[in-house]
Amino acid sequence: NTAIAGTVICLFGAPILMAAQGWDDHDRSEKMVAHDIAVNYLESCAPNAILFTYGDNDTYPLWYAQEVENIRPDIRLVNLSLFDTDWYIDGMRRKQNESAPLPISMKESQYVQGVRDVMYYQDFKIAGSVELKTILELLLSENDEDKVPLQNGSKENFIPTKNFKITINPQEVIQTGTVSAADADKITPAMEWKFNKGYVTKGTLAMFDILAHNNWKRPIYFASTVPSEQFNGLDNYLYSEGMALRLLPLKADSSANSRSDLVNTPVLYNNLMNKFKWGNVKNASYLDTQSADDVSI
C-alpha cells in the first residue's frame, strides 16, 4: 500500500497540488467561449435548417449542444467530412431529434460503398448552364449510354459540364419565407454557377440531391468555418447571417467586391444583438489568449 501511495504521488502529485493550492489560478468553470460559439452557430440558422459543417470544432460542440442541452434540435447538422460515406448518408435519410429526413432521393444501391465513389468531369462543350436536376439524373443513371468507358473496360457516370443552374420559382421562394415579399425584385430568375472541382464524390452527389429536391422548404446554411472549396461554386449566393452563411436565390450584388461583402444585414443584426452569447468574457475569472482572439474577431 505504501508503494502504491508513493507511485500515485509521483504520477499525480503535481495535478493534486495544483488542484489543492492553485485552483484559483486554473479555474475554467466560468469560461464559456467554446460552448457559446457552438450555440451561436446554431442560433445563426432559421428554424428547421440544414447546416453544413466540415471539421471537428464546428461539429462536435454543436452535437453536444443539441444532444445534451437540447439546443436547436430542429437543425440537421451535415458534416461534409463524413458525407462521402454510405453509412452517414443513411443517417441523413432518417429523422433525428426534431429534424425530418433530408430530401435525398438516391436509393441506397446508388451510393453504397464502391459505387459512385468518384465521378470525373468530361468536357462535352455544352453551351450554357444545365439544370442541377439534369446533372443529378445523369450522375445517377444506370444507362450505359449515360456513362463513359474506362481503360479497364468498365463504365462510369461523369459530369458533362461545370456550368450549373437552378431555375427559381419566385412564388415558391416567398411562400417558404426564404425571401420576403418586399424583396421580390431581388430574386434571381436562375441561380447559375460554375462547379469548382474536376470530380464529384459521394458527398457532393448527396449535396446536389438535397439542393435539387429541397425546393426551398428548408433553409440551407454553411458554417462560416467551412473551406470555400466545399461551397462547390455557390459562393455568390451565400449570405452571412452571423456564424453561418445562408443560401439565398438573389441577384448578383454589383456592389460586393468579395464574398465577405454578402451580408443579410437585418437577420445578422438581430442574431448579434438578441440571440448570440459571448462566452461570459466580461465576468470570467480566466480567459485564455485564443478565446480572447476568437471573441475579438
Side-chain angles (χ1 to χ4, degrees):
N1 292 341
T2 303
I4 293 174
T7 302
V8 170
I9 292 173
C10 290
L11 291 174
F12 303 107
I16 291 173
L17 288 174
M18 183 185 75
Q21 301 178 10
W23 183 256
D24 57 337
D25 297 326
H26 300 276
D27 182 2
R28 305 293 196 270
S29 62
E30 297 176 346
K31 178 175 174 286
M32 299 294 291
V33 174
H35 173 277
D36 287 356
I37 287 177
V39 173
N40 292 346
Y41 276 114
L42 295 171
E43 292 296 356
S44 295
C45 301
N48 201 34
I50 299 167
L51 174 59
F52 291 111
T53 62
Y54 186 74
D56 296 350
N57 292 339
D58 62 8
T59 303
Y60 299 153
L62 280 65
W63 278 342
Y64 164 83
Q66 288 186 315
E67 301 297 332
V68 178
E69 299 190 14
N70 199 37
I71 296 172
R72 297 302 305 275
D74 58 301
I75 295 174
R76 177 58 65 97
L77 298 178
V78 183
N79 186 305
L80 295 175
S81 299
L82 301 175
F83 217 19
D84 285 333
T85 60
D86 52 5
W87 60 266
Y88 192 73
I89 296 175
D90 285 343
M92 294 297 104
R93 297 178 65 194
R94 295 192 291 266
K95 183 180 185 297
Q96 180 177 328
N97 298 322
E98 296 177 14
S99 167
L102 295 189
I104 296 175
S105 68
M106 294 187 294
K107 301 175 183 176
E108 185 177 1
S109 61
Q110 294 177 306
Y111 63 82
V112 69
Q113 183 178 355
V115 176
R116 295 181 176 85
D117 291 334
V118 183
M119 295 168 286
Y120 292 96
Y121 166 65
Q122 301 287 335
D123 188 2
F124 270 60
K125 305 297 182 184
I126 298 175
S129 300
V130 178
E131 286 286 346
L132 185 61
K133 282 186 178 181
T134 302
I135 297 292
L136 183 66
E137 289 172 1
L138 183 65
L139 291 172
L140 293 175
S141 175
E142 303 293 352
N143 190 336
D144 279 351
E145 294 182 359
D146 294 330
K147 301 179 181 182
V148 292
L150 303 180
Q151 291 181 347
N152 63 6
S154 65
K155 291 187 175 183
E156 293 288 346
N157 299 87
F158 67 99
I159 331 166
T161 179
K162 292 185 179 182
N163 298 315
F164 299 169
K165 73 175 180 179
I166 297 176
T167 299
I168 304 301
N169 179 343
Q171 185 177 3
E172 186 176 67
V173 170
I174 293 172
Q175 285 179 343
T176 58
T178 306
V179 178
S180 68
D183 292 328
D185 61 324
K186 297 180 181 179
I187 300 173
T188 184
M191 289 172 51
E192 297 188 70
W193 73 97
K194 186 167 186 175
F195 182 55
N196 60 359
K197 301 184 182 75
Y199 58 91
V200 170
T201 62
K202 204 185 303 289
T204 306
L205 179 66
M207 183 189 291
F208 287 173
D209 202 350
I210 292 170
L211 294 174
H213 295 103
N214 183 51
N215 297 321
W216 305 102
K217 293 178 181 178
R218 299 183 69 168
I220 293 178
Y221 291 85
F222 289 79
S224 58
T225 46
V226 171
S228 58
E229 63 266 21
Q230 297 299 323
F231 297 160
N232 292 321
L234 288 164
D235 307 52
N236 291 334
Y237 300 101
L238 295 176
Y239 287 74
S240 175
E241 293 189 352
M243 297 195 68
L245 312 174
R246 185 171 182 174
L247 184 69
L248 292 173
L250 302 179
K251 296 174 183 176
D253 186 351
S254 58
S255 65
N257 296 316
S258 66
R259 220 241 63 76
S260 61
D261 290 333
L262 300 180
V263 178
N264 191 354
T265 305
V267 176
L268 172 62
Y269 180 85
N270 182 57
N271 287 339
L272 286 172
M273 301 304 294
N274 300 315
K275 294 184 178 181
F276 284 6
K277 297 181 179 180
W278 304 101
N280 197 32
V281 295
K282 184 178 181 180
N283 300 314
S285 58
Y286 175 85
L287 192 67
D288 58 82
T289 303
Q290 291 80 9
S291 295
D293 290 343
D294 286 342
V295 172
S296 66
I297 291 173

